[in-house]
């Protein structure tokens, strides 16, 4: 299963943010054993760095958070052509969803976007057995 993972789920795992860290841990375990292929958008990496640095007050820990993400996730590029193509839809959350749809259409895959509330529901039905 290929899933595009919301930044908050990655941060819940990396920063052990309660009450969501245990659910995020299950997702990362599924990625680790190959049950799930995790994707994040390129902009997620800058968000992870900024929020991790602010949360930990450590540039080194923020770098480590980005490094861990790069180790386990595939990156969906958000470059100039994507921005220009989708620029007329720059309304959140529509714009974010369109980036996701665009990327997966380019690689010929269906995507499952995992926002935190969707992950909690999916987690209960798929990975809790």
């Amino acid at each position: 299963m290929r899933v595009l993972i919301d930044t908050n789920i990655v941060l819940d795992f990396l920063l052990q943010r309660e009450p969501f860290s245990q659910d995020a841990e299950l997702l990362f375990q599924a990625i680790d054993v190959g049950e799930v292929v995790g994707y994040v958008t390129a902009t997620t990496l800058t968000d992870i760095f900024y929020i991790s640095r602010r949360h930990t007050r450590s540039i080194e820990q923020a770098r480590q958070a980005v490094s861990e993400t790069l180790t386990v996730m595939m990156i969906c590029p958000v470059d100039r052509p994507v921005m220009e193509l989708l620029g007329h839809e720059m309304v959140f959350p529509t714009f974010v969803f369109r980036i996701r749809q665009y990327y997966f259409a380019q690689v010929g895959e269906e995507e499952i976007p995992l926002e935190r509330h969707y992950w909690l529901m999916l987690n209960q039905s798929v990975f809790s057995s």
Side-chain angles (χ1 to χ4, degrees), residues 4-5 28 35 40 57 65 74 79 82 84 96 98 116-117 121 124:
L4 187 64
I5 301 168
F28 276 78
E35 293 176 12
V40 293
R57 296 195 165 111
M74 303 295 291
D79 55 12
V82 172
E84 288 175 349
V96 175
R98 288 292 298 137
R116 185 187 285 147
H117 59 282
M121 289 185 295
Q124 296 300 315

Side-chain angles (χ1 to χ4, degrees), residues 59-76:
I59 289 176
E60 188 52 43
Q61 287 180 353
R63 287 183 183 139
Q64 182 64 30
V66 170
S67 178
E68 289 178 30
T69 304
L70 286 170
T71 300
V72 299
M73 299 286 178
M74 303 295 291
I75 309 301
C76 301

Side-chain angles (χ1 to χ4, degrees), residues 1 3 5 9-10 13-14 16 20-38 72-73 114 119 123 126-129:
M1 174 180 358
V3 295
I5 301 168
I9 295 172
V10 178
F13 172 75
L14 293 170
Q16 294 297 295
F20 305 107
S21 63
Q22 290 179 340
D23 291 316
E25 174 72 31
L26 291 174
L27 174 61
F28 276 78
Q29 287 173 1
I31 291 169
D32 197 39
V33 299
E35 293 176 12
V36 170
V37 178
V72 299
M73 299 286 178
L114 278 187
W119 167 242
N123 173 26
V126 175
F127 297 109
S128 59
S129 56

